[in-house]
Amino acid sequence: MNTSIRKIYFGLVTMIGLAALDQSIVATALPRIVSELGGVAHLSWVVTAYVLASTATMPLYGKLSDQYGRRPLLYTAIITFLAGSALCGLAQNMAELIAFRAIQGLGAGGFMPLAQIVIGDLVPPAERGKRQGSIAAVYALTSVLGPVLGGLLTDWLSWHWIFYVNLPIGAVALYLIAKSMPHDKPHNAHKIDYLGSALLTGAITAALLVLALGGTEWPWDGQQVRWLGALAVLLTVVLVWHVRRVPEPVLPPDLFDNRVFNVASVVLALTFVGMMGSSVFFPLLFQLVMGASPASSGLLTMPMMVGLVISSALGGRVLAKSGRYKPAQVVGLTLATLSFGVLAWGIASSAGYMVLEPAIFVLGMGLGLVMPNMTMAVQNALPAARRGVGTAMLGFFRSLGGLIGVTGSGAILAQQLHGQAANAANALLYRDAIGQIFGVGTVMVGLGLLMLAFLPEVPLATTTAKR
């Protein structure tokens, strides 16, 4: 890798580290945020608002970067994220925090897709395994530091500082990208499907509101659930009709003619239903059930990220030597499924750290073998003209899975706590709910493993096609 590419890569890694740091810090501070702002039933929406906004914007970042170039979209993503971070730090109630987290998500939606697209522009698939694996490793390494830093900031200062810490890191990322990223001249003019994006976001939001609030704040047979359910179906039908009529829809139909893309999207969506739906509740388990402090709970989640760092780095090197991306993913999802099963059993049976911590480490090892390899497989299988939007759409389905997982898990928690005052919800209720959440996660990741059997293995290209 020459010097100019190395500088670009370092700037992208800093941006990815910023996203990872924010997510892991917020998860650690959630119990303290709820204790000060209230609204435990809406706890998952602090994460859901962020993931929904980032998911909705991912396809747009891919197409806009094809039309206007990678550099201006990188600037837009980072600046929007930092503005949202500053506002989150100023939030005075749960409604404000959820709204400002959505602004953060609008920027974060461009981080991973744009980083992977730029690497796809610069590095051929046969060499891309190391680069994608390294990004996943940096993401995980930063995630290791996040829970610890989040716990310390929450204990020593206040939860507001978990958002302010993004500002100096974001400034560094902006500087590095400004110094290293060339002023590219895009050759592909695209029409941006804003109507399709609005239909897609509306359908997802309506469905998630039904999932999150049905059976708790709204009865399942109530008018709110019926109207929102009908709206979700209607918007989905209109979206399907719309994408078949416009020249460049937000969900390009021809992408779904590619079997690698189809299988990869389903596998990552199922994996992230389990992963995001479960891992966001680790701090609740450690703090509200097992009595750990915020800082200690951050340390207790570290094994997952350590495992992810190790397997991402090793997986990238094995891929570069073997040229095969499927075997590592089979091993990874097998490990992840077994780990989820052990965690579900351990939580339900009141097992201690000697059972939970090794399982958390193995879970990270498994996930680290899946995510970077799958991105590389899709980029290798798609033509150069579809690389940007294809990478962004893969990220969209991955985030959509995480979004469904977080919202569904929040619904399970809210259902368990329904009718209980916040101060009356005891550790047993939380343990039962979190055990159920990990049980569902086991099923979801197991389904992802079964779907992986249908993934074709396309030989890796040794050159980089131009846009």
Side-chain angles (χ1 to χ4, degrees), residues 196-346:
S197 298
L199 290 170
L200 180 64
T201 303
I204 293 172
T205 303
L208 289 174
L209 284 171
V210 171
L211 181 62
L213 301 179
T216 54
E217 297 195 14
W218 299 337
W220 284 115
D221 59 350
Q223 283 192 341
Q224 299 97 325
V225 170
R226 291 176 181 176
W227 280 108
L228 275 176
L231 179 62
V233 173
L234 175 62
L235 291 176
T236 300
V237 171
V238 175
L239 176 64
V240 172
W241 173 81
H242 171 78
V243 299
R244 297 180 182 277
R245 292 177 57 87
V246 297
E248 295 194 53
V250 65
L251 295 175
D254 62 296
L255 275 180
F256 299 96
D257 295 333
N258 187 293
R259 186 176 172 187
V260 173
F261 175 81
N262 289 338
V263 175
S265 297
V266 173
V267 170
L268 283 187
L270 288 170
T271 301
F272 271 71
V273 168
M275 175 187 167
M276 289 295 294
S278 305
S279 62
V280 73
F281 291 97
F282 274 133
L284 281 179
L285 171 68
F286 293 136
Q287 294 179 43
L288 300 183
V289 177
M290 305 183 79
S293 68
S296 297
S297 72
L299 291 171
L300 290 168
T301 59
M302 282 182 63
M304 183 170 73
M305 300 308 171
V306 172
L308 209 155
V309 168
I310 294 172
S311 62
S312 296
L314 292 178
R317 295 185 180 278
V318 170
L319 174 65
K321 290 183 179 180
S322 68
R324 301 184 63 197
Y325 50 77
K326 187 172 178 178
Q329 296 186 72
V330 172
V331 172
L333 279 181
T334 300
L335 291 175
T337 303
L338 293 174
S339 300
F340 265 108
V342 171
L343 287 168
W345 168 80

Side-chain angles (χ1 to χ4, degrees), residues 407-431:
T407 307
S409 298
I412 293 174
L413 180 64
Q415 183 68 41
Q416 287 287 323
L417 302 180
H418 186 51
Q420 298 283 336
N423 58 359
N426 57 38
L428 181 60
L429 282 175
Y430 281 108
R431 181 182 289 279

